[in-house]
Amino acid sequence: MVQFVAKSSVGHSRLMRFVSRFPPVGKGVVLALISTALFTVVGVLVRSLSSDYNTFQILFFRQLIFTLLLVPGIVKNLDVIMKPNKVSLHVLRIFGAFIALYFGFVTVSSIPFADATALGFLQVLFVALLARFVLSEQISKLRLVTIVVGFVGVMMVVRPTFSESQSIYVLTGLFAALGAAIAVICVRQVAQSEPKITLMAYQSLAVGIITMVPAIYTWRTPTFEDLLLLLLVGVISSLAQYVGITAYKWAQANIVANVEYVKIIYSIIIGFVVFAEVPDTWSIVGAVVIVSSAVIPLVWSYSQKVSKEYLKC
């Protein structure tokens, strides 16, 4: 286990050295692309494991590895972690994270990969709605356009046709997206007064404890090969989350959020390579629309900057 974690740390160092070559906004975009790709890989691993192992067991392994990787940070910051602010928001965030993770795993394990990915994008809409009606945040016209354009692109790629037998998994996908949105909104509020390690530690420990009992009840001893895959779910998920959080350090939140739409492109590629799903013309056009939604904020910001400089002259 120690050697496994050590190797992942070396990979992380190499990754950060590679990213350091880019300008600030470029770093944020690259990190967001990498984080999204890693989360897509986790989806593939979960789907392959779900035929033999209960979702609670897979999720328990994810949280176990995540917690082990956080142990040094937890020990170092134990005094701060033991004095949380806004406890109610921490509890709500943990609830949202659990709903997002559990139902997300169930969804990706039960319906076509692209359909599950499409449902995941509803998180962006839920975040915008919750931010508007719960936090009274204003949604700019540009933000609204990028959300709509990106989602239209997703629908063009996926064109989900859920059968009646799969309707329950449409609901699990919706619950997962809503849970993720609740967690995001809570983080926005709590992050103003809590360090990053507190947010990560509470989620990893609490969700791990929640899944432990049902995981033991449905436990199936994994083979050596499956054990490696279960460990990879934890390691890759942890790395993806860390890289994703770091992306927000270098680029504006709306840019990073729109880059996440590229996940559907990863899904098309994986669907073709792993599941032999050949993309059609609609899928290719939709992918272009999705990329456009990520580019719109960049083009708009650049045009505004040029206009201001022109007016100064």
Side-chain angles (χ1 to χ4, degrees):
M1 172 66 74
V2 174
Q3 292 179 343
F4 193 72
V5 173
K7 289 181 180 179
S8 67
S9 299
V10 172
H12 167 259
S13 299
R14 291 176 179 173
L15 171 62
M16 297 313 294
R17 282 200 300 270
F18 168 74
V19 173
S20 65
R21 303 172 185 175
F22 295 90
V25 175
K27 289 178 184 177
V29 171
V30 170
L31 288 171
L33 288 171
I34 294 172
S35 174
T36 303
L38 291 173
F39 276 124
T40 306
V41 171
V42 170
V44 175
L45 292 175
V46 169
R47 184 170 180 174
S48 65
L49 288 165
S50 64
S51 59
D52 297 313
Y53 303 95
N54 185 272
T55 302
F56 280 113
Q57 185 174 350
I58 299 173
L59 183 52
F60 174 73
F61 266 95
R62 179 197 186 275
Q63 297 306 113
L64 176 63
I65 300 303
F66 191 20
T67 302
L68 289 176
L69 292 173
L70 287 176
V71 166
I74 293 174
V75 173
K76 184 178 179 180
N77 299 277
L78 190 59
D79 291 340
V80 177
I81 293 174
M82 294 301 292
K83 300 175 182 178
N85 299 309
K86 302 179 179 178
V87 175
S88 59
L89 284 177
H90 278 293
V91 173
L92 184 59
R93 186 215 171 202
I94 290 167
F95 172 76
F98 169 72
I99 293 297
L101 288 168
Y102 178 77
F103 285 110
F105 279 14
V106 169
T107 304
V108 80
S109 302
S110 306
I111 62 176
F113 200 70
D115 289 358
T117 301
L119 288 171
F121 282 111
L122 291 176
Q123 173 190 338
V124 179
L125 295 177
F126 286 138
V127 167
L129 291 173
L130 289 174
R132 177 67 183 89
F133 295 106
V134 177
L135 304 181
S136 298
E137 293 184 1
Q138 296 298 319
I139 303 176
S140 66
K141 292 181 179 179
L142 177 60
R143 178 62 177 149
L144 183 61
V145 168
T146 56
I147 291 174
V148 172
V149 171
F151 192 73
V152 167
V154 171
M155 292 298 100
M156 291 174 68
V157 172
V158 181
R159 302 187 307 284
T161 55
F162 301 104
S163 63
E164 292 184 4
S165 61
Q166 294 178 335
S167 60
I168 187 172
Y169 299 115
V170 176
L171 292 177
T172 60
L174 289 172
F175 285 141
L178 180 58
I182 291 172
V184 168
I185 294 297
C186 290
V187 167
R188 285 188 185 179
Q189 295 297 98
V190 178
Q192 298 174 10
S193 58
E194 298 279 20
K196 186 192 305 182
I197 184 63
T198 300
L199 298 174
M200 297 173 71
Y202 280 1
Q203 188 216 338
S204 65
L205 289 169
V207 176
I209 292 172
I210 292 171
T211 58
M212 183 170 61
V213 173
I216 293 174
Y217 181 76
T218 60
W219 185 268
R220 176 178 179 181
T221 303
T223 63
F224 178 73
E225 180 180 347
D226 287 345
L227 178 60
L228 291 179
L229 293 179
L230 287 166
L231 293 176
L232 277 175
V233 169
V235 172
I236 296 176
S237 295
S238 302
L239 179 60
Q241 184 166 345
Y242 177 83
V243 172
I245 292 173
T246 306
Y248 285 92
K249 175 183 177 182
W250 297 106
Q252 295 177 356
N254 66 323
I255 294 176
V256 175
N258 282 320
V259 169
E260 293 177 359
Y261 274 115
V262 178
K263 185 176 182 180
I264 196 68
I265 298 178
Y266 295 146
S267 297
I268 292 174
I269 295 173
I270 289 176
F272 177 74
V273 175
V274 179
F275 304 114
E277 298 171 351
V278 181
D280 57 16
T281 303
W282 277 102
S283 297
I284 296 173
V285 173
V288 173
V289 173
I290 292 171
V291 173
S292 299
S293 74
V295 173
I296 286 173
L298 295 174
V299 174
W300 178 259
S301 298
Y302 178 76
S303 63
Q304 291 292 96
K305 182 179 179 180
V306 171
S307 297
K308 289 180 180 179
E309 292 178 353
Y310 178 78
L311 291 175
K312 288 181 180 179
C313 296

